[in-house]
Amino acid sequence: MRCYQLTGFGQDLAAREQPRPVPTGTEVLVKIGGAGVCHSDVHLWEGHYDLGGDRKLSFADRLKLPLTLGHESAGEIVALGPEVDDVTEGATCIVCSWIGCRECAACETGDEHLCTAPRFLGVNRDGGYADYVLVPHPRYIVEIGDLDPVAAAPLVCSGLTTYSALKKFGALLARQPIAIIGAGGLGLIALGVLKMLGGQGAVVVEIDPRKREAAMAAGALATVDPKAPDAGATLRQALGGSVLGVLDLVGSGETATLAVETLDKGGRLVIVGLFGGAMTLPVPLVPMKALTIQGSYIGSPAELRELVDLVRSHGLPATPIDRRPLAEAAAALTDLRLGRVVGRVVLTP
Ligand SMILES: [Zn+2]
Ligand SMILES: [Zn+2]
């Protein structure tokens, strides 16, 4: 089979030929129909996260190379290990890449995505930029019925990440609109997920006019250019006078600061984006405004099943999908890094 591997940080992905895996024990082999290209693949490729002030969080001692990237995999179940009897050969599925050790405190509560010794597909072990992906256990297979695997692949990371983050706003979603910062792949899918959750919608803050346009097409109530001089006031007005929820899908020092300064008393900021940088926070604002600042990282395997149930009854979110051949994996990463992608790139073998 073909696979596209990271062989060194900062180096172009390498095309490799490998034998097609044969599942043993509880393993399940999935033939890739679509593999989403996520912004965290760009971080993996670069080899670090930017922590601001010249500090970096390096992957060098945490990842073993070569590594086949791709943690948004969908396709067809084509072979089962001898111990597997609860999934159907030939069925269409997405693969939950968020595999934990099943022993740590996080895993014990079902939060395998927060595992201290993760075995994530496409991060800690080979993922879906390939013709096939080997899944260690059927519990990570989520059958999707007749949904298109190419359009469904992004549910695994961008869909789940926004679903889990939006749930953290609780009852606020149904009461009033929230602000979403960033209209990249995550922002556009968030608008669709928010609708499925019965939310009152969102005003999208985005610097790129093309992405603001895409946000309107994906159902944003309004968009705001954060570089405009009256951005804060425009955002407040578009939200109906009060700012109680901000979902930051960019996660830079600037965006988090904008959120903290704009939120009203009792407001909540949920930070998802990993763009990087540091934030200087006037500490008294946190108690005086009774702010909640919360991080959200992917979502649990159980939340992924909840999301798939929701999608199977409401249909897929209307996020633009940019289908490209698997052989263009390296170019897709470059385009994403340079901000040239609208919606989600999904590689198809
Ligand atoms: Zn991702
Ligand atoms: Zn664990």
Side-chain angles (χ1 to χ4, degrees):
M1 69 168 192
R2 287 172 306 160
C3 56
Y4 284 79
Q5 293 193 318
L6 187 62
T7 54
F9 297 116
Q11 293 173 21
D12 272 355
L13 298 184
R16 293 275 171 87
E17 284 289 333
Q18 286 187 342
R20 172 178 153 168
V22 177
T24 59
T26 60
E27 291 172 340
V28 177
L29 187 68
V30 173
K31 184 174 192 291
I32 297 291
V37 180
C38 175
H39 214 280
S40 53
D41 293 332
V42 174
H43 292 294
L44 291 172
W45 172 37
E46 291 174 337
H48 63 264
Y49 287 123
D50 173 12
L51 298 181
D54 293 331
R55 290 172 64 212
K56 284 182 175 158
L57 179 65
S58 170
F59 297 128
D61 48 352
R62 301 194 294 162
L63 296 189
K64 268 205 358 236
L65 303 184
L67 168 73
T68 303
L69 291 181
H71 54 263
E72 289 187 341
S73 305
E76 183 194 340
I77 301 167
V78 288
L80 308 174
E83 292 166 36
V84 179
D85 54 11
D86 44 359
V87 293
T88 324
E89 220 172 304
T92 308
C93 69
I94 57 174
V95 177
C96 178
S97 294
W98 319 119
I99 298 170
C101 68
R102 314 264 309 160
E103 283 169 6
C104 72
C107 284
E108 268 178 14
T109 62
D111 287 336
E112 289 188 54
H113 61 303
L114 302 179
C115 178
T116 50
R119 291 139 202 220
F120 297 169
L121 300 179
V123 181
N124 309 103
R125 43 185 292 172
D126 287 340
Y129 288 12
D131 291 317
Y132 297 90
V133 66
L134 192 61
V135 183
H137 194 281
R139 73 171 76 92
Y140 304 108
I141 297 285
V142 186
E143 292 187 22
I144 58 170
D146 53 8
L147 290 176
D148 170 16
V150 174
L155 293 176
V156 177
C157 182
S158 58
L160 175 60
T161 298
T162 53
Y163 175 72
S164 182
L166 285 166
K167 272 179 60 184
K168 293 179 169 70
F169 290 99
L172 176 71
L173 297 182
R175 280 207 312 270
Q176 68 177 76
I178 61 165
I180 293 179
I181 303 179
L186 280 180
L188 299 183
I189 207 166
L191 288 164
V193 173
L194 179 58
K195 199 168 165 193
M196 283 191 265
L197 285 169
Q200 293 292 320
V203 173
V204 173
V205 180
E206 167 63 54
I207 45 175
D208 181 341
R210 274 194 324 153
K211 292 181 183 172
R212 286 202 296 273
E213 212 172 286
M216 288 307 289
L221 300 172
T223 58
V224 175
D225 176 1
K227 301 278 186 213
D230 51 352
T234 311
L235 175 62
R236 178 172 303 281
Q237 193 184 22
L239 285 169
S242 64
V243 186
L244 288 176
V246 178
L247 174 57
D248 184 358
L249 299 174
V250 175
S252 71
E254 279 177 18
T255 56
T257 304
L258 170 75
V260 166
E261 284 175 0
T262 315
L263 276 166
D264 287 318
K265 286 186 177 179
R268 177 182 296 264
L269 165 63
V270 177
I271 304 175
V272 168
L274 292 162
F275 181 87
M279 123 198 224
T280 308
L281 185 67
V283 177
L285 286 186
V286 180
M288 282 167 65
K289 290 198 198 180
L291 294 180
T292 305
I293 300 174
Q294 187 171 14
S296 190
Y297 185 67
I298 328 173
S300 69
E303 284 176 322
L304 182 58
R305 288 181 188 277
E306 287 170 25
L307 174 63
V308 167
D309 285 346
L310 210 56
V311 167
R312 288 183 75 168
S313 56
H314 288 75
L316 281 158
T319 313
I321 300 281
D322 179 352
R323 295 172 193 236
R324 302 192 191 185
L326 175 61
E328 290 178 20
L333 277 184
T334 302
D335 283 351
L336 193 58
R337 183 192 199 183
L338 297 176
R340 293 196 295 225
V341 171
V342 174
R344 199 64 159 175
V345 172
V346 179
L347 302 170
T348 56

